[in-house]
Amino acid sequence: MSDGLENTESAKPTAADRLKALEAESDIAADYLEELLDIADLDGDIDMDIDGDRAAVSIVGADLKNLVGENGKVLEALQELTRLAVYRETGERSRLMLDVSNFRANRKAELEEVGRKAVDEVKSSGASVKLDPMTPFERKVVHDVVAAAGLTSESEGEEPRRRVVVQPA
């Protein structure tokens, strides 16, 4: 008779299993996005990567601004559709990150600067600073900058008006 521990231990995914799963997510996402580009008659190259604990897929091309939309709204929707396509194939929730024409990479650099300025303001004034509303991705970037600077931050409000508040140490 078994105590059940063997099954529990064998059910834990190894790092190699997780990497393989992330690569599969990237492949599924790339296939989905290639079909979408074909349907929309858009030229673009798809790059796949693993960024920490998530799959990262980028579409790069000459004229893809329609896939980004105003303030990245179309990109956010496209990312969710791509995550759903991955879920449909794997049965697992995906944290896949999609970028188009380096929009997210450029936005991340801008947000890191916003975070540094907020940190400087909080350190000089000693008062909390409320930032403009942001998407979850944008808030995470700012939270990371604030934490690296040794301060604390929290998100407040309801979507889509949720914002980061940077607080003194």
Side-chain angles (χ1 to χ4, degrees):
M1 183 161 237
S2 170
D3 63 4
L5 291 177
E6 294 133 23
N7 290 339
T8 304
E9 287 177 10
S10 65
K12 290 181 184 178
T14 65
D17 292 338
R18 185 67 188 136
L19 180 61
K20 194 173 189 177
L22 291 174
E23 289 170 347
E25 283 186 31
S26 293
D27 288 339
I28 294 165
D31 290 344
Y32 175 79
L33 293 166
E34 282 176 6
E35 275 187 54
L36 181 103
L37 290 173
D38 285 344
I39 291 168
D41 197 27
L42 295 171
D43 290 325
D45 293 322
I46 297 178
D47 294 328
M48 300 179 294
D49 197 10
I50 305 300
D51 185 13
D53 62 346
R54 65 172 59 189
V57 178
S58 298
I59 305 173
V60 293
D63 188 24
L64 298 172
K65 63 182 175 276
N66 288 337
L67 292 181
V68 174
E70 182 182 343
N71 297 321
K73 289 188 188 314
V74 174
L75 173 57
E76 288 290 326
L78 185 56
Q79 177 175 275
E80 286 308 309
L81 289 172
T82 305
R83 286 177 174 177
L84 285 171
V86 170
Y87 178 76
R88 184 185 67 220
E89 293 290 322
T90 65
E92 299 289 326
R93 183 179 165 275
S94 173
R95 295 184 59 238
L96 177 129
M97 185 63 68
L98 176 64
D99 198 0
V100 174
S101 296
N102 291 317
F103 174 83
R104 238 184 252 283
N106 294 337
R107 182 69 178 135
K108 182 178 179 186
E110 292 171 8
L111 290 164
E112 288 170 341
E113 183 60 25
V114 166
R116 284 190 288 273
K117 286 181 180 178
V119 164
D120 291 345
E121 186 177 336
V122 168
K123 284 182 176 179
S124 67
S125 72
S128 295
V129 171
K130 289 184 181 186
L131 301 176
D132 291 335
M134 298 178 187
T135 67
F137 162 77
E138 293 171 331
R139 290 193 308 270
K140 168 101 172 69
V141 172
V142 174
H143 285 305
D144 289 348
V145 168
V146 171
L151 297 182
T152 59
S153 59
E154 62 183 27
S155 294
E156 71 174 24
E158 299 294 322
E159 296 292 354
R161 308 278 316 147
R162 199 154 169 80
R163 67 183 68 235
V164 174
V165 179
V166 182
Q167 302 161 334

